[in-house]
Amino acid sequence: MKDRFTVVYRLTGSSELARAKAQDICLEQTVEVPADVPPRYLGAELGAWMIGHIESIEEAGPDAHEARISFPAESSAYEITQLLNVIFGNISIKPGIRVQSVELPASLLSHFKGPRFGRAGLRQWLNAPDRPLLCGTLKPMGLSTPQIAGLAFQMAVGGLDLIKDDHGLSDQPYAPFEARVQACAEAVAKANRETGRRCAYFPNVTAPADKLLSRARFAKQAGAGGMLFSPALGGYDAMRMLADDDDIALPILSHPAYVGSMVTHKDNGWSHGALFGWLNRMAGADGAIFPNFGGRFSFSKEECAEIRDATAAPLGHIKPIYPNPGGGMTLARVADMNEMYGKDVIYLIGGGLLTGDSVVESCRFFRQLVEPA
Amino acid sequence: MKDRFTVVYRLTGSSELARAKAQDICLEQTVEVPADVPPRYLGAELGAWMIGHIESIEEAGPDAHEARISFPAESSAYEITQLLNVIFGNISIKPGIRVQSVELPASLLSHFKGPRFGRAGLRQWLNAPDRPLLCGTLKPMGLSTPQIAGLAFQMAVGGLDLIKDDHGLSDQPYAPFEARVQACAEAVAKANRETGRRCAYFPNVTAPADKLLSRARFAKQAGAGGMLFSPALGGYDAMRMLADDDDIALPILSHPAYVGSMVTHKDNGWSHGALFGWLNRMAGADGAIFPNFGGRFSFSKEECAEIRDATAAPLGHIKPIYPNPGGGMTLARVADMNEMYGKDVIYLIGGGLLTGDSVVESCRFFRQLVEPA
């Protein structure tokens, strides 16, 4: 297997500095030894195969360059954990290096299944026609199980397509996981019987490593229609494991909790598209939650467009997924958001559902925004 | 249970901006709803208990403030994943917010065991007297299993205390996990029989989520004396799970691969002490690997001192662990490093062992640096 995969890095600095950084990446991310170690460790036997190869370096704006560096496919061990390690392990600690994009050969990509549902699968799962989908959030944390289940019922009656736990709902004493998930799943099922629709409840299964599978299986048995998972907290490969589990077999929304430092600075971390689009798809998410532009977070319109594009960019057999912008879904912004995201989007509505007099009416209002009569 | 835990955040900006950020954190990290939602969601029933409380805000240098914010202990669900979510989940996405330190009440701390061995336990495990410990690294990736096992034998004969896999050794075709770990464990055991010492082999068990425990158990059965794990790749709670497993019961070195973006900017992420010291201890590591000052990474002497201090700062029943600075262990720097770290340190030696004519002699040389005749 002599294929290589390619990472495009954005390197801050002059062309000399960029070349030095690129050469450093070639060693640091692979053999991680000085270039002057004896040939028996890095000689003909390995060829120069293991070391990263600089395929090109080009200027990319003032004081920045983009370097294409290739690595042996087999260095990834065909695992998400080790693939991430080769892409951005040690060099995450060095300033002025950012992952712009990743390109995998088919021989490497074939080891990953990606999302189980993807865009088309999730529409079918939710029996939802070709319009923006609406996702509500069960919060605030601190509510009791009956209160949360009551909200879930109202949101489902009001016409939301998906209802997810707040990412901060875990297994707290005031609303323990099993009782809460059971009650919410039942509340949504009851609402579906009344409405004839197929609203799906996505409990948060982000959990301690030794409880993750049991919570996900419990959710499935209780009637959940999907799962919420925060991969930066629980591990990207743990999300992949959930997606690949044929017994659980539920769609997954990926939440960005704890991942922010990867994108808060332009000169380190990941590009928005690669992190929220490419990586979530590789790790099995069917929808990628991120803070929409113009809301209470700081993502720009361009960064959100990059995420939108990356959720559907060609990626071999890996399905396109939904961008899932959060916040800012108001009447005043509908035209702007339609233009930005089109129909293939899941809009996330949070506290906005709680500020009116009636949650049911608020949901109906939002539903009309995406499905005019 | 009405205890609260406290996070100290460093907030960039004027005192007005810092207060606004602190107020935002109080909502964003807990109830995550606008302050104007109706009282039935945030009213007397919850008290104002769930929301973060600003305990104090003080100036902390030019254009920076430190805010002490407390959260209900129960919001953590007594889980590493959810504790990290409350500390730095959504607000990781906002610029100008950095976690400086975390203070947990005994009622919360009591849910975590921390490292199984700690400083004293690891010395006893290795039968090592009161001097700096030496850890070698098996690399470069790309070597075959017999070559890697040969290096392990030479390092053990040469007098190293610990020998760890390079964090990039996983389950690659050129050196598959089980055969490699078996061969290295046997090589180190053979060397120990010759030397009468107790060198310990720490294979890298960072792995796909559904293979982690089986790899760790295989390592234990093969005779490994510890484990290497990269929590930013595999999950902090996965490391906690490994540490708590009474059948595996091996010491753990925590590797910083992929965690760099958390510390590359002073105005976002974590302080060095909290990330490498506090969090590693909470999640069960016995040693925290980090790039030493003056090496090929960019940590300053002050940042390394902060890590050193945090590995042993008072933390209830949670044991002190070893700082494990990597790189830069050369003759010229011994005095400087002795002054910095004293005796309670594990020095990590990497490519420096490979550049001489004999790995055994290189190890003996380093051993003499920490154990003068």
Side-chain angles (χ1 to χ4, degrees):
Chain A
M1 176 82 62
K2 288 301 176 189
D3 282 334
R4 301 180 74 84
F5 70 96
T6 303
V7 184
V8 179
Y9 295 100
R10 184 180 185 280
L11 306 174
T12 312
S14 66
S15 65
E16 292 73 23
L17 187 57
R19 180 155 295 273
K21 280 186 183 175
Q23 286 167 341
D24 179 40
I25 291 171
C26 290
L27 291 173
E28 188 72 54
Q29 294 305 96
T30 56
V31 294
E32 207 198 333
V33 291
D36 63 349
V37 303
R40 66 182 177 278
Y41 298 118
L42 285 178
E45 209 166 335
L46 286 174
W49 182 251
M50 288 309 303
I51 297 174
H53 296 173
I54 302 175
E55 307 291 347
S56 67
I57 303 185
E58 289 178 9
E59 216 177 302
D63 203 41
H65 290 74
E66 277 193 2
R68 295 175 56 86
I69 299 181
S70 72
F71 303 99
E74 59 196 348
S75 68
S76 72
Y78 312 105
E79 301 166 348
I80 294 282
T81 35
Q82 172 62 7
L83 178 61
L84 287 177
N85 183 43
V86 177
I87 293 171
F88 200 54
N90 269 9
I91 56 165
S92 70
I93 311 174
K94 298 188 176 187
I97 300 174
R98 181 176 171 119
V99 178
Q100 282 299 110
S101 59
V102 184
E103 298 159 21
L104 306 183
S107 63
L108 208 174
L109 211 48
S110 68
H111 289 262
F112 301 97
K113 295 180 184 167
R116 178 178 290 267
F117 291 78
R119 286 190 182 179
L122 193 56
R123 274 206 194 282
Q124 193 171 12
W125 180 253
L126 298 170
N127 194 26
D130 201 27
R131 58 164 170 78
L133 303 171
L134 288 177
C135 178
T137 301
L138 300 173
K139 57 182 175 182
M141 67 152 65
L143 294 183
S144 67
T145 290
Q147 288 175 307
I148 296 172
L151 281 175
F153 179 78
Q154 294 169 68
M155 290 181 189
V157 167
L160 301 191
D161 301 292
L162 307 84
I163 298 168
K164 71 166 187 63
D165 280 351
D166 184 45
H167 66 285
L169 300 190
S170 176
D171 189 31
Q172 286 97 346
Y174 44 79
F177 180 83
E178 296 199 353
R180 189 186 83 245
V181 170
Q182 187 84 51
C184 290
E186 285 171 7
V188 172
K190 178 166 177 254
N192 282 342
R193 286 193 297 274
E194 294 186 10
T195 64
R197 296 203 192 98
R198 206 186 293 171
C199 175
Y201 166 52
F202 282 58
N204 176 32
V205 300
T206 312
D210 41 4
K211 294 181 178 171
L212 173 57
L213 278 175
S214 62
R215 286 201 195 159
R217 286 176 184 142
F218 181 89
K220 170 76 172 192
Q221 286 165 3
M227 301 178 283
L228 179 78
F229 189 72
S230 300
L233 289 168
Y236 278 91
D237 191 76
M239 186 162 76
R240 190 275 316 155
M241 174 180 76
L242 289 178
D244 284 354
D245 192 303
D246 290 330
D247 294 324
I248 298 171
L250 289 175
I252 298 172
L253 294 184
S254 169
H255 193 280
Y258 200 68
V259 87
S261 300
M262 287 292 186
V263 292
T264 39
H265 287 275
K266 287 206 186 323
D267 62 350
N268 186 270
W270 288 69
S271 73
H272 291 70
L275 184 72
F276 290 102
W278 181 84
L279 183 51
N280 272 323
R281 290 169 77 187
M282 288 297 296
D286 299 282
I289 299 174
F290 61 94
N292 199 17
F293 65 99
R296 64 187 197 279
F297 291 85
S298 58
F299 284 15
S300 71
K301 193 166 180 176
E302 292 67 32
E303 289 162 347
C304 291
E306 189 185 296
I307 296 172
R308 174 201 63 197
D309 294 345
T311 58
L315 189 56
H317 66 285
I318 309 283
K319 301 182 181 81
I321 65 174
Y322 286 98
N324 199 163
M329 182 64 190
T330 62
L331 185 58
R333 297 197 60 207
V334 172
D336 206 16
M337 292 175 76
N338 275 349
E339 187 192 357
M340 176 68 152
Y341 296 107
K343 291 179 174 177
D344 282 325
V345 62
I346 302 174
Y347 287 126
L348 184 60
I349 314 167
L353 292 175
L354 304 180
T355 48
D357 288 333
S358 155
V359 171
V360 173
E361 289 308 315
S362 293
C363 292
R364 286 187 178 140
F365 168 79
F366 282 109
R367 176 84 180 231
Q368 284 163 7
L369 294 184
V370 298
E371 191 180 43
Chain B
M1 176 82 64
K2 288 299 176 192
D3 282 334
R4 300 180 75 85
F5 70 96
T6 303
V7 184
V8 179
Y9 295 101
R10 185 181 183 280
L11 305 174
T12 311
S14 66
S15 64
E16 291 73 22
L17 187 57
R19 180 158 294 275
K21 281 186 183 177
Q23 285 166 343
D24 178 40
I25 291 171
C26 290
L27 291 172
E28 187 72 55
Q29 294 305 95
T30 55
V31 294
E32 207 197 333
V33 291
D36 63 348
V37 303
R40 64 183 178 278
Y41 299 118
L42 286 177
E45 209 165 333
L46 286 174
W49 181 249
M50 288 308 303
I51 296 174
H53 296 173
I54 301 174
E55 306 291 346
S56 66
I57 302 185
E58 289 178 9
E59 217 178 302
D63 204 41
H65 290 73
E66 278 193 3
R68 295 175 57 86
I69 299 181
S70 72
F71 303 99
E74 59 196 348
S75 68
S76 72
Y78 313 104
E79 301 167 347
I80 294 283
T81 35
Q82 172 61 8
L83 178 62
L84 287 178
N85 183 42
V86 177
I87 293 171
F88 200 55
N90 269 9
I91 55 163
S92 70
I93 311 173
K94 299 189 175 186
I97 300 175
R98 181 175 171 121
V99 178
Q100 283 297 111
S101 59
V102 184
E103 298 158 21
L104 306 183
S107 63
L108 209 174
L109 210 49
S110 68
H111 289 262
F112 301 97
K113 295 180 183 168
R116 179 179 289 269
F117 291 78
R119 286 190 182 179
L122 192 56
R123 275 206 193 282
Q124 193 171 11
W125 180 254
L126 299 170
N127 194 26
D130 202 27
R131 57 162 172 79
L133 302 172
L134 288 177
C135 177
T137 301
L138 299 173
K139 58 181 174 182
M141 67 152 65
L143 294 182
S144 68
T145 290
Q147 288 174 308
I148 297 172
L151 282 175
F153 180 78
Q154 295 169 68
M155 289 180 189
V157 167
L160 300 191
D161 301 292
L162 307 85
I163 299 169
K164 71 168 185 63
D165 280 350
D166 184 45
H167 65 286
L169 301 189
S170 175
D171 189 31
Q172 286 97 346
Y174 44 79
F177 180 82
E178 295 200 353
R180 190 187 82 246
V181 169
Q182 187 84 51
C184 290
E186 285 171 6
V188 171
K190 178 166 176 254
N192 282 341
R193 287 193 297 274
E194 293 186 11
T195 63
R197 296 201 192 99
R198 206 185 294 171
C199 175
Y201 167 52
F202 282 58
N204 176 32
V205 300
T206 312
D210 40 5
K211 294 182 178 169
L212 174 57
L213 278 175
S214 62
R215 286 201 195 159
R217 286 175 185 144
F218 181 89
K220 170 76 172 193
Q221 286 166 3
M227 301 178 283
L228 180 77
F229 189 73
S230 300
L233 290 168
Y236 278 92
D237 191 76
M239 186 163 76
R240 190 275 316 155
M241 174 181 75
L242 289 178
D244 284 355
D245 191 302
D246 290 330
D247 294 323
I248 298 170
L250 289 175
I252 297 172
L253 294 184
S254 169
H255 193 281
Y258 201 69
V259 86
S261 301
M262 287 291 186
V263 292
T264 39
H265 286 276
K266 287 209 188 319
D267 61 351
N268 186 268
W270 288 69
S271 74
H272 290 71
L275 184 72
F276 290 102
W278 181 82
L279 182 52
N280 273 323
R281 290 169 78 186
M282 287 297 295
D286 299 282
I289 299 175
F290 62 94
N292 200 17
F293 64 99
R296 65 188 196 280
F297 293 84
S298 58
F299 284 17
S300 71
K301 193 166 181 177
E302 292 66 33
E303 289 162 347
C304 292
E306 189 183 296
I307 296 171
R308 174 202 63 198
D309 295 345
T311 59
L315 189 57
H317 65 285
I318 309 283
K319 300 181 181 80
I321 66 174
Y322 286 98
N324 197 163
M329 182 64 189
T330 63
L331 186 58
R333 298 196 60 206
V334 172
D336 206 14
M337 293 176 76
N338 275 348
E339 187 192 356
M340 176 68 151
Y341 296 107
K343 291 179 173 177
D344 282 325
V345 62
I346 301 174
Y347 286 126
L348 184 60
I349 314 168
L353 292 175
L354 304 181
T355 48
D357 289 334
S358 155
V359 172
V360 173
E361 288 309 315
S362 292
C363 291
R364 287 188 177 138
F365 168 79
F366 282 109
R367 175 84 180 232
Q368 284 164 6
L369 294 184
V370 298
E371 190 178 46

